[in-house]
Amino acid sequence: MKIDDIDAFVAVIRSQSISQAAESLQLTQPAITRRVQNFEEALGVSLLDRNTKPLKPTPMGMRVYEQCRSVLREMDALRELVLSDSSPSGVLRLGVPQTVGDVVLLDALSQLKTLYPDLQTQVSTGWGSHLLGKMENGELDAVAALFPAGKVFPEGIVGRSLARMDLVVVAAKGEVRKRSCKLADCYQRGWVLNPDGCGFRAGLQRALSDEGLSLRINLETFGTELQLGLIANGLGFGLVPRPLLENSRHRERLEVVPVSDFKPVIDLWLIHPRFLGNLQAPVALFGETVAQRVAHQAEEGAAAGS
């Protein structure tokens, strides 16, 4: 019975797919299939119901899966004990949404390169939920992502809030003349938002739905600065973290819409597996640099607005 076979079995159960398990472990599908079969032969029992789609464990397979997770946690702890004192090297795989990356990545990558020259950094972008899924599959070592305050993360994943940010509704300057309004007063103008899958957009859609209102999309596109430029040109309302608005080159052509019944708050989280080995210090540095950069953005924005 080999740890590699256990890894393959756990990856298949988590992803419910041989192909996705192969991708997450950077192996071929035949290699994954062979390892799972080896594990079944070693135990003398069938672990997968191969007549279902997606793949599901047999009743015994589910019990074995839970035990395997405990085994892998203990193996992680053992590796942590051995690696924690060694110099960081190899590859550090980071994940950030584009919204955050535009603000923090340049400083964070520069700091990592300066302090850990033997460490190669790779960056993936995507929605927070997508990046969290990649981390669960072992494809990322740390993620800086936006989630609601009080977010509960899966077992084996550690989350720490780095900063809390207001999300504000914005419009072209002079477009809204009321001192205060409600979602019902402004939703018909339409919105410039990220494509479907964005947490900001999902929160706005829920708030509108609770009031029996629909979400009207005028334009959907990636990139906060592009969105703010389109909004400044009068193409709709937008939803953006306040620090990013205050530091936008379009700031003078935009204004915050005072929506009294919609005041969302979002946390910027540093998320990583419980056991990081010799990557613990670089991940901590990444989190500190991200937090400092966001705080600096907020301070600059406050100074500009005073």
Side-chain angles (χ1 to χ4, degrees):
M1 191 181 303
K2 299 179 180 178
I3 291 297
D4 287 346
D5 297 342
I6 294 176
D7 272 330
F9 171 65
V10 168
V12 168
I13 299 302
R14 281 178 175 167
S15 61
Q16 298 183 306
S17 165
I18 295 288
S19 61
Q20 290 184 28
E23 183 179 349
S24 69
L25 294 179
Q26 298 183 342
L27 296 169
T28 63
Q29 293 184 41
I32 292 291
T33 299
R34 185 168 58 253
R35 289 185 180 188
V36 172
Q37 290 172 344
N38 290 342
F39 190 43
E40 289 178 315
E41 290 173 5
L43 293 176
V45 65
S46 178
L47 300 174
L48 296 175
D49 183 350
R50 291 172 171 81
N51 296 318
T52 62
K53 258 193 173 182
L55 272 176
K56 291 183 179 179
T58 62
M60 178 55 72
M62 180 54 72
R63 294 175 62 186
V64 171
Y65 169 69
E66 294 298 334
Q67 189 65 38
C68 285
R69 292 174 65 193
S70 298
V71 170
L72 292 179
R73 282 196 295 269
E74 291 301 319
M75 290 300 300
D76 285 338
L78 183 60
R79 294 188 185 103
E80 182 86 3
L81 178 65
V82 174
L83 290 172
S84 57
D85 290 335
S86 61
S87 177
S89 60
V91 179
L92 174 63
R93 302 162 301 171
L94 302 175
V96 292
Q98 186 173 359
T99 305
V100 175
D102 290 344
V103 175
V104 306
L105 266 184
L106 190 61
D107 285 353
L109 295 180
S110 176
Q111 290 276 0
L112 286 167
K113 184 176 181 180
T114 299
L115 291 180
Y116 302 105
D118 294 331
L119 193 65
Q120 178 187 351
T121 305
Q122 296 177 352
V123 179
S124 298
T125 59
W127 304 130
S129 56
H130 171 70
L131 295 173
L132 180 57
K134 293 188 74 171
M135 176 174 291
E136 287 187 89
N137 288 333
E139 299 173 53
L140 293 174
D141 301 306
V143 169
L146 298 165
F147 287 107
K151 169 77 173 175
V152 177
F153 295 98
E155 182 183 359
I157 302 295
V158 176
R160 176 168 64 91
S161 177
L162 299 174
R164 180 159 293 179
M165 295 180 282
D166 294 331
L167 287 177
V168 292
V169 176
V170 293
K173 183 159 286 188
E175 190 168 335
V176 179
R177 293 178 174 81
K178 292 184 178 181
R179 291 187 176 181
S180 180
C181 61
K182 296 186 176 182
L183 277 178
D185 300 324
C186 59
Y187 84 101
Q188 289 185 337
R189 294 175 184 259
W191 299 81
V192 178
L193 296 173
N194 288 321
D196 197 16
C198 170
F200 301 172
R201 173 171 168 165
L204 173 62
Q205 190 157 13
R206 283 193 299 270
L208 288 167
S209 180
D210 289 345
E211 298 188 24
L213 305 173
S214 60
L215 176 62
R216 292 186 55 186
I217 301 294
N218 294 346
L219 283 166
E220 55 180 32
T221 182
F222 291 105
T224 302
E225 276 297 281
L226 174 57
Q227 290 176 13
L228 291 177
L230 294 169
I231 295 163
N233 288 338
L235 295 180
F237 286 177
L239 186 62
V240 63
R242 188 182 289 273
L244 303 190
L245 167 67
E246 300 297 348
N247 287 276
S248 170
R249 66 179 181 271
H250 304 292
R251 180 65 183 94
E252 295 304 314
R253 300 168 56 214
L254 295 163
E255 63 184 355
V256 174
V257 180
V259 182
S260 61
D261 58 347
F262 183 60
K263 298 182 179 297
V265 175
I266 198 85
D267 275 18
L268 176 60
W269 293 84
L270 175 67
I271 311 157
H272 59 80
R274 187 173 304 280
F275 301 110
L276 283 168
N278 66 351
L279 296 178
Q280 185 73 49
V283 167
L285 174 65
F286 173 64
E288 291 166 7
T289 306
V290 168
Q292 290 169 4
R293 183 59 184 157
V294 169
H296 180 65
Q297 290 279 85
E299 290 170 2
E300 283 188 340
S306 62

